[in-house]
Amino acid sequence: MNSVQIRSAERALSVGTWLIVAGAMLYSILTVTPLMAAHTPDKWDWTAPILPLVVDAAVVIVVRLDAVLARLGGHGGRWPIVLRWMTGCMTLALNVAESALRKDLVGVAVHAVAPLLLIVTAETGLAYRRAITAALAALEVEQKAEQAERDRELRERREAEARRVREEREHAESLAREQREHEARLAREQAEREEAARRAERAEEQERERAEQVAREQREREREQQERERERLEREAVQRSEAERLEREAAARREESERAERAARERAALLAGGPVKDKLPEDQARRIINAAFAEGVPVRSAAELCGWSIGWVSTRYQELRDTAPESARALEGAAS
């Protein structure tokens, strides 16, 4: 039987014991209460159920603590035995007392069933629990022994496996060492042959490098000479290009200066006529207005120079402002 089955039996014993205890308590209360009421003063009849409750409470304490001690494998000594038998005898006496006083042997037998069953169940349950505890302890000892044996066998197998692996590794290392030594010997011989071939090749390579070095130096000198010549030509081309650019800029500045001088002379000639009394032709008036706008002449003065109205001149000024905002702002500053 395994531990699961033993615990299942222990649970069945506990449930059955408590069912018997509960039934015996209920039966005892119902049986003893009328007896206590008959032998108690009338004004104290309400205390009749107290005695059976006290006795049954002692039974519950005994059963419960015996179960705990049995489960733990302990023993409470003589007093738990005295209390157990005393409560059992008190319960038996109280249950059969009324029938015994009436000399009703059948009633005595009937009312003795529950207390006797409670007493025997308490003793039997205690014995069962002690036996179950001993069985569990023995089972645990057996399981620990089996586990120790399995651990020992596993440890031995692991040690044997480790020893076998170590021997195989040592054998493989020995073979590998011999193989490495053989390969090293072959490698040394091959290295010696290769070293001799490399020395010969190195001598040939050095001779070839010397010849190539001489050729490279010759080519480098030629390349440097060509590079210097190309740089000289580039500098000359840059200098010529810069001179041409400077000449073009100077010609452009001279042309711009001449154009500005001509425009200034034309504007001065147009503005030199002074105020007129009659309207000038529109084409001539427009030229005068353009010159006055460029020179920053106020609108009123421009109107006097061309003979046209201030409104017409203001309109032309506005057109010129729209096409030349910078000049318009300069004119506005001069007019203010």
Side-chain angles (χ1 to χ4, degrees):
M1 181 178 291
N2 56 29
S3 60
V4 175
Q5 293 172 330
I6 293 174
R7 289 189 176 89
S8 177
E10 186 177 10
R11 284 194 298 271
L13 174 62
S14 179
V15 172
T17 300
W18 284 111
L19 286 175
I20 293 172
V21 169
M25 287 177 61
L26 179 60
Y27 188 80
S28 176
I29 291 171
L30 295 177
T31 301
V32 176
T33 298
L35 176 64
M36 295 305 299
H39 293 81
T40 302
D42 293 339
K43 65 179 180 178
W44 295 102
D45 285 346
W46 59 274
T47 63
I50 294 177
L51 182 61
L53 283 174
V54 171
V55 175
D56 292 338
V59 173
V60 172
I61 293 172
V62 169
V63 172
R64 179 58 182 165
L65 292 180
D66 283 344
V68 173
L69 287 174
R71 186 69 183 87
L72 296 176
H75 193 277
R78 294 190 302 273
W79 286 109
I81 298 174
V82 172
L83 178 61
R84 188 167 57 250
W85 279 97
M86 186 177 67
T87 54
C89 293
M90 288 179 180
T91 302
L92 177 62
L94 290 173
N95 275 271
V96 303
E98 187 174 0
S99 298
L101 291 174
R102 293 198 309 266
K103 297 182 179 181
D104 183 4
L105 298 180
V106 175
V108 170
V110 169
H111 286 89
V113 171
L116 291 175
L117 182 61
L118 179 60
I119 294 170
V120 174
T121 300
E123 293 295 330
T124 305
L126 180 60
Y128 278 144
R129 286 190 178 90
R130 288 174 178 171
I132 290 172
T133 301
L136 286 174
L139 182 61
E140 289 177 358
V141 171
E142 183 179 357
Q143 289 177 348
K144 288 181 180 178
E146 293 177 355
Q147 182 64 34
E149 182 65 21
R150 286 195 297 270
D151 293 341
R152 185 184 62 78
E153 293 177 357
L154 179 60
R155 186 168 58 255
E156 291 177 354
R157 285 198 299 271
R158 288 178 178 174
E159 291 175 355
E161 181 66 19
R163 186 167 52 253
R164 183 185 63 80
V165 171
R166 185 171 60 256
E167 292 174 354
E168 291 179 354
R169 185 173 61 252
E170 291 175 354
H171 180 65
E173 290 175 354
S174 176
L175 294 177
R177 185 168 55 254
E178 294 176 358
Q179 180 67 22
R180 287 195 300 272
E181 291 175 355
H182 178 67
E183 292 176 353
R185 186 171 59 255
L186 295 178
R188 284 195 301 273
E189 295 174 356
Q190 181 66 22
E192 291 173 357
R193 290 192 296 269
E194 292 177 353
E195 181 63 24
R198 280 196 297 273
R199 283 196 296 270
E201 291 177 357
R202 195 157 45 245
E204 295 177 358
E205 182 69 21
Q206 290 175 355
E207 185 64 27
R208 187 167 55 253
E209 287 178 355
R210 281 194 295 271
E212 291 178 353
Q213 181 67 23
V214 172
R216 280 197 301 272
E217 291 176 356
Q218 181 64 29
R219 289 194 299 271
E220 184 67 22
R221 285 192 297 271
E222 293 176 356
R223 187 184 62 78
E224 290 178 355
Q225 186 176 358
Q226 293 173 358
E227 184 69 23
R228 286 193 297 272
E229 182 66 20
R230 186 171 60 253
E231 290 178 354
R232 184 182 63 78
L233 294 175
E234 289 177 354
R235 284 196 300 273
E236 291 178 355
V238 169
Q239 291 173 358
R240 286 195 300 272
S241 176
E242 183 66 20
E244 292 174 357
R245 185 182 64 79
L246 293 175
E247 290 177 359
R248 287 194 300 271
E249 291 178 354
R253 285 194 296 272
R254 286 194 300 273
E255 184 178 355
E256 181 67 25
S257 176
E258 291 174 357
R259 190 163 51 248
E261 290 176 359
R262 285 196 302 272
R265 286 195 298 272
E266 291 176 358
R267 289 194 299 272
L270 290 171
L271 299 175
V276 296
K277 296 180 179 180
D278 298 327
K279 283 185 179 181
L280 296 177
E282 185 175 353
D283 294 339
Q284 185 178 359
R286 283 182 177 273
R287 288 196 299 273
I288 293 173
I289 290 170
N290 290 338
F293 180 81
E295 294 295 332
V297 177
V299 174
R300 184 179 300 278
S301 300
E304 293 175 353
L305 292 173
C306 67
W308 287 72
S309 66
I310 294 175
W312 185 84
V313 174
S314 298
T315 302
R316 304 289 81 77
Y317 267 46
Q318 185 61 42
E319 292 175 356
L320 293 173
R321 288 191 192 96
D322 294 339
T323 57
E326 294 294 336
S327 299
R329 282 195 294 272
L331 181 59
E332 288 175 358
S336 62

